[in-house]
Amino acid sequence: MTQLIPDRQPRRLGRSDLVVSPLAWGMWRLEGSVAEVRARIDAALAAGITLFDTADIYGFGSPIGFGGAEALFGRALAEDRSLRDWMVIATKAGITPPRPYDSSAAYLAAACDASLVRLGTEVIDLYQIHRRDFLTHPQEVAAALTRLVEAGKVRALGVSNHSPAELSALQRFLGHPIVSTQPEFSPLRVAPLYDGTLDQAMAEEIAVLAWSPLGGGRLTDSSHPAARLLAEQGSAYGADAVAAALSWAMVHPARIIPIVGSQNPVRIRAAADALRIEWTRDQWYAVMQAGTGEALP
Ligand SMILES: NC(=O)c1ccc[n+]([C@@H]2O[C@H](COP(=O)([O-])OP(=O)(O)OC[C@H]3O[C@@H](n4cnc5c(N)ncnc54)[C@H](OP(=O)(O)O)[C@@H]3O)[C@@H](O)[C@H]2O)c1
């Protein structure tokens, strides 16, 4: 029987020149001291992770505030300049509380400059539109993004929480490729299997970064039927349900890159166990059905 095996190799991020690891680490939940952040960065690098995902809004609603996660990450990088050389840094813009969305040209220009300052870097490797702004024409978004690339402020462009039609509309006005898309994806949230996100990614060589690959931690609750199957699968490889959940996403043919959300260095390091976990089709579909609670037709 064919085994589904995670691709363990570094790979190009979509049609960009950036090379990234098969797993990413995310900073939505980042807080704490610079020393704590450094410990998490070290754990991620030890797990072979080179793709680091943040956003200007991360920190909003917590004591560190809007921009706080980028600033904290930037302070950790400032303490050891050599770290930057190992990383592909991804950030996002376009959610601007209390205004839900703003991807106007003026907003993106200012937001990118602010992110560069907070991160303390001369260039952002991957700049993503966080969510679609219904009130900005994609031509205007594209023009703003083009200026950022041409000014050398960002290397590559991506989107998050965009439908395939939204991505295509933006691409229609862009001279540079959209190299990544970032949907929520886990056994608890399988919409990208059906809504064209993953098909578009495979057809157009777009990298897929999966957010909340544990359903925001819900898959660590062993009372959930999907968590039980994941734990069983993980234990067959000397790993846990978390590693199995990451592997479950990775073996999809779009070569999905799960974004590890843990802020615990031991757990971040253990994410590398995902690379060892293989699946049969039957096992993979059993987790999908347990996650959705629906039998496949
Ligand atoms: N584009 C978007 O709109 C969007 C939205 C949300 C997230 N994201 C990105 O995706 C990343 C990951 O999202 P996420 O944080 O929701 O990911 P997740 O992996 O689904 O959930 C992480 C949560 O699970 C907990 N957890 C992990 N392992 C555990 C274990 N063994 N036992 C108990 N709890 C455990 C973590 O707690 P500990 O920290 O204590 O381990 C953390 O609270 C974010 O950092 C961000 O980069 C993007």
Side-chain angles (χ1 to χ4, degrees):
M1 194 182 309
T2 315
Q3 286 290 109
L4 307 171
I5 302 174
D7 180 354
R8 296 150 185 146
Q9 300 307 314
R11 75 286 301 269
R12 279 175 64 212
L13 187 73
R15 284 179 284 150
S16 75
D17 294 330
L18 300 168
V19 174
V20 298
S21 49
L23 287 163
W25 177 60
M27 290 172 251
W28 181 28
R29 302 171 193 272
L30 194 75
E31 53 184 14
S33 67
V34 172
E36 286 169 325
V37 174
R38 176 61 196 264
R40 296 170 199 156
I41 292 171
D42 288 342
L45 292 171
I49 293 173
T50 59
L51 177 55
F52 289 75
D53 182 71
T54 186
D56 57 3
I57 194 187
Y58 291 173
F60 178 78
S62 85
I64 61 175
F66 185 99
E70 285 184 338
L72 195 47
F73 184 51
R75 283 169 61 204
L77 298 187
E79 285 196 351
D80 182 349
R81 290 276 165 206
S82 69
L83 286 175
R84 178 69 181 95
D85 300 338
W86 295 97
M87 294 177 174
V88 171
I89 297 180
T91 193
K92 320 182 192 74
I95 304 182
T96 63
R99 187 182 306 144
Y101 311 129
D102 191 347
S103 291
S104 63
Y107 182 78
L108 289 180
C112 183
D113 285 346
S115 288
L116 286 166
V117 170
R118 285 190 292 261
L119 291 165
T121 185
E122 284 177 3
V123 61
I124 291 163
D125 297 310
L126 176 67
Y127 201 57
Q128 303 158 102
I129 300 295
H130 205 152
R131 284 187 184 270
R132 196 268 173 96
D133 172 13
F134 302 110
L135 299 178
T136 305
H137 194 292
Q139 188 167 21
E140 180 178 337
V141 181
L145 293 175
T146 300
R147 281 192 287 275
L148 295 178
V149 173
E150 288 174 359
K153 295 179 180 181
V154 315
R155 287 201 167 98
L157 302 170
V159 296
S160 176
N161 303 300
H162 276 52
S163 70
E166 290 167 342
L167 189 157
S168 294
L170 181 57
Q171 184 64 77
R172 161 75 180 75
F173 297 104
L174 262 177
H176 303 280
I178 295 172
V179 304
S180 66
T181 188
Q182 187 177 135
E184 181 181 2
F185 183 68
S186 75
L188 303 178
R189 211 269 175 181
V190 299
L193 294 172
Y194 293 100
D195 66 13
T197 298
L198 299 180
D199 299 303
Q200 179 185 48
M202 291 185 285
E204 299 178 23
E205 205 184 334
I206 296 169
V208 181
L209 314 184
W211 66 262
S212 289
L214 308 179
R218 283 178 294 149
L219 285 173
T220 65
D221 174 356
S222 58
S223 66
H224 194 290
R228 282 200 293 274
L229 289 180
L230 289 167
E232 210 173 282
Q233 189 71 10
S235 76
Y237 291 85
D240 62 10
V242 168
L246 300 173
S247 170
W248 183 87
M250 293 170 80
V251 299
H252 184 278
R255 297 199 302 165
I256 293 169
I257 299 175
I259 309 175
V260 175
S262 177
Q263 301 300 308
N264 174 321
V266 174
R267 290 179 186 159
I268 296 169
R269 178 73 186 78
D273 291 342
L275 306 182
R276 294 190 279 112
I277 300 176
E278 303 179 7
W279 298 82
T280 63
R281 270 187 165 65
D282 294 353
Q283 291 164 339
W284 195 93
Y285 280 116
V287 168
M288 178 180 169
Q289 292 175 98
T292 60
E294 286 171 27
L296 285 163

